[in-house]
Amino acid sequence: MKLPGSRAEIRKLQSEGKRAAVERALLSPFWKKRIPPLNLAKLDDPEVWRHIPILDKDTLRALSDEQFYGEFCHTQHDGVAEYWRSGGVTGQPLFYPRSFRDMEFGLEGFARTFDCAGAGRGERAHISFPLGIHPVGQVYSRCASSRGITVNWAGSGTSTPSALQLELIQRLRPTIWLGMSSYALHVANLAEAKGVDLSKLGIKHVMCSAEPVSQAKRDKIERTFGARLTDNFGMTEAGMMGSEDVPGAGFRIWSDFYYIEVLDPKSLEPAKAGEVGTLVVTALKTNNVTPFLRWSSGDLVTYSEAEEGKGPFSVFPRIKHAHRTAGFFKIRGVNLGHQDLEDFIFRTVEIGDFRAEALNEGGNDFLKLSIEVRRGCDGSEISRRIELQIKEKFELTPQVAVLETGTLAKEFEANVKAARFVDRRG
């Protein structure tokens, strides 16, 4: 599918798409009783558009399966091609039907991320996203053919053991590796344990999604893989919505497929450019069965307009995550942010991997930090240095344990996302 050539073209597509989305939603019993009378010819007027109520996670959570499929979803469409599992917004996950028409745009939304990464025809992709009821792995594997990219459907470590994945990377020499950033670190640490230099295997592109990627994590992955990392953004309710064209600058959003709003979290009025707001999404193309109008995803982001004339994706706006919801330990009155500690550890190039645990012994809380050091490094010296640096930076003295290289890799093997932060205080 051809990319839009200007913001004016996108505005026209959005105007047409918003009206079509509302008209389709009004066929749904759920929306029919929620949407007040609207002048459909004036949906581009923000005051008219904002009369459509926001759909949030609590509202969706309150629907039974029967209500979701019988009242929310459309019954007239071009046929259900497949189901996408919700990302866990409900206590009992929903499976969103995707029509054949939905999938044309669903596949294209994923395929565009290859374009943004600069990956194209003739390249080989090793896909380590989970393959199963979550769509990301299998959709990436299927859409690659539209870009002439060869695919190895490896899946995560739960389906193809990580040691075998590393062997396949050595044998098949992919130029693209795709997976969660935590699993990228896992593969890198496994390679280190086995004495394999990933940076010498010819991987040019690392493509991630589904997890925050801090600058320190990005630097470590790029350093160990010898490749450029491109992060991507999507949600099951909509599809793959965007990708980085400049590392770390935020995601270009496919605004010809999705109409987005960034709203003040309290007033729900439009946030100004650069101000943190809550992301609200209306699917314009993947709504043939599931009419997600003004869906509040819970993401806190900043918004900036496109800059035309700087590449084919410059017509699209950018959003950047604020990452305000990162977890933390509270130990002896000190709030220790997981993201802050992770950034600190991964900036220490001698450390390959780590695990942080909050423990209690004799009535006292403490932080235990287990680290693996790179081959040829002095574990005792690094342990002492890290202990002093954490005390200075975080005002907390950890107990540091140096593990044999590969120990954490074995423990993380069965997990899609590595459990690097564990609270064991009960």
Side-chain angles (χ1 to χ4, degrees):
M1 296 179 186
K2 186 179 178 181
L3 294 176
S6 66
R7 296 187 205 177
E9 185 179 345
I10 289 176
R11 284 194 294 271
K12 182 175 183 295
L13 291 168
Q14 288 188 338
S15 181
E16 295 168 351
K18 285 157 65 179
R19 177 161 184 164
V22 173
E23 288 176 343
R24 285 199 61 75
L26 288 171
L27 300 176
S28 156
F30 172 88
W31 280 112
K32 196 168 185 177
K33 60 188 177 185
R34 284 172 58 87
I35 298 177
L38 295 174
N39 185 339
L40 298 185
K42 293 188 176 181
L43 291 176
D44 291 332
D45 182 338
E47 293 302 320
V48 175
W49 180 255
R50 284 201 290 271
H51 278 91
I52 301 170
I54 288 175
L55 176 63
D56 59 26
K57 296 179 181 181
D58 288 338
T59 304
L60 201 63
R61 186 184 295 118
L63 299 179
S64 66
D65 270 1
E66 291 76 14
Q67 290 173 315
F68 178 75
Y69 293 109
E71 298 178 21
F72 182 87
C73 293
H74 299 139
T75 56
Q76 299 297 316
H77 45 74
D78 63 314
V80 173
E82 58 191 70
Y83 292 89
W84 287 7
R85 184 192 187 278
S86 68
V89 299
T90 59
Q92 181 73 20
L94 291 169
F95 288 82
Y96 302 140
R98 290 285 171 257
S99 78
F100 291 96
R101 182 65 173 158
D102 287 335
M103 288 310 302
E104 292 180 33
F105 294 96
L107 288 163
E108 176 64 15
F110 274 80
R112 283 182 180 179
T113 66
F114 285 116
D115 304 335
C116 250
R121 183 167 297 277
E123 301 210 52
R124 299 178 301 281
H126 181 103
I127 296 183
S128 293
F129 281 113
L131 295 172
I133 56 177
H134 284 284
V136 60
Q138 48 96 354
V139 178
Y140 256 130
S141 298
R142 287 153 55 200
C143 77
S145 62
S146 71
R147 298 309 194 255
I149 295 172
T150 303
V151 171
N152 182 12
W153 297 52
S156 66
T158 55
S159 56
T160 302
S162 299
L164 178 54
Q165 297 221 21
L166 183 59
E167 179 185 331
L168 290 170
I169 291 171
Q170 292 175 274
R171 291 176 59 192
L172 302 179
R173 296 298 174 106
T175 55
I176 314 165
W177 183 90
L178 298 95
M180 293 184 184
S181 57
S182 60
Y183 193 60
L185 292 170
H186 173 67
V187 171
N189 293 321
L190 180 64
E192 164 76 12
K194 292 181 174 294
V196 176
D197 188 346
L198 269 182
S199 68
K200 304 297 184 184
L201 299 183
I203 297 172
K204 298 187 295 184
H205 311 281
V206 171
M207 297 175 63
C208 297
S209 190
E211 295 176 324
V213 178
S214 66
Q215 188 59 49
K217 186 185 284 188
R218 183 188 299 272
D219 291 343
K220 180 175 174 62
I221 291 171
E222 290 188 337
R223 183 171 64 247
T224 54
F225 275 76
R228 180 176 182 260
L229 188 152
T230 300
D231 198 15
N232 304 286
F233 172 67
M235 59 185 72
T236 324
E237 291 76 18
M240 185 59 71
M241 293 178 56
S243 181
E244 295 179 327
D245 60 344
V246 176
F251 304 106
R252 294 285 191 182
I253 297 297
W254 318 143
S255 49
D256 53 340
F257 291 178
Y258 308 101
Y259 177 67
I260 65 168
E261 304 166 75
V262 179
L263 308 179
D264 180 276
K266 294 182 179 178
S267 70
L268 297 181
E269 292 295 314
K272 295 178 182 178
E275 290 184 348
V276 174
T278 188
L279 180 65
V280 173
V281 179
T282 296
L284 304 178
K285 298 295 185 181
T286 53
N287 59 358
N288 291 290
V289 188
T290 53
F292 279 100
L293 286 183
R294 304 198 77 202
W295 165 251
S296 178
S297 66
D299 294 275
L300 290 174
V301 303
T302 57
Y303 176 94
S304 61
E305 265 300 346
E307 307 118 21
E308 290 186 89
K310 296 183 180 179
F313 293 96
S314 62
V315 296
F316 295 121
R318 276 200 185 107
I319 63 168
K320 188 171 185 179
H321 274 98
H323 299 318
R324 282 187 175 175
T325 57
F328 66 93
F329 291 143
K330 188 163 188 173
I331 299 175
R332 297 187 181 183
V334 175
N335 287 334
L336 180 62
H338 294 173
Q339 190 72 64
D340 294 334
L341 182 60
E342 181 178 89
D343 285 354
F344 170 79
I345 295 294
F346 285 148
R347 287 192 187 102
T348 306
V349 296
E350 296 93 341
I351 294 179
D353 206 354
F354 78 96
R355 180 177 58 210
E357 298 167 276
L359 299 166
N360 182 279
E361 189 174 273
N364 292 318
D365 288 349
F366 67 95
L367 174 70
K368 179 180 179 182
L369 190 66
S370 301
I371 62 173
E372 296 180 11
V373 301
R374 298 179 65 85
R375 292 176 181 272
C377 297
D378 185 337
S380 297
E381 190 277 328
I382 293 168
S383 176
R384 288 193 296 271
R385 172 154 53 94
I386 285 293
E387 181 179 319
L388 290 172
Q389 289 175 339
I390 289 179
K391 182 178 180 181
E392 180 180 331
K393 183 174 178 61
F394 299 104
E395 300 180 348
L396 196 66
T397 302
Q399 291 185 8
V400 181
V402 179
L403 305 179
E404 182 181 349
T405 301
T407 301
L408 292 175
K410 292 176 183 177
E411 294 183 18
F412 292 158
E413 177 63 37
N415 299 306
V416 173
K417 296 184 181 181
R420 288 191 170 83
F421 298 90
V422 184
D423 194 331
R424 301 194 188 279
R425 290 175 292 189

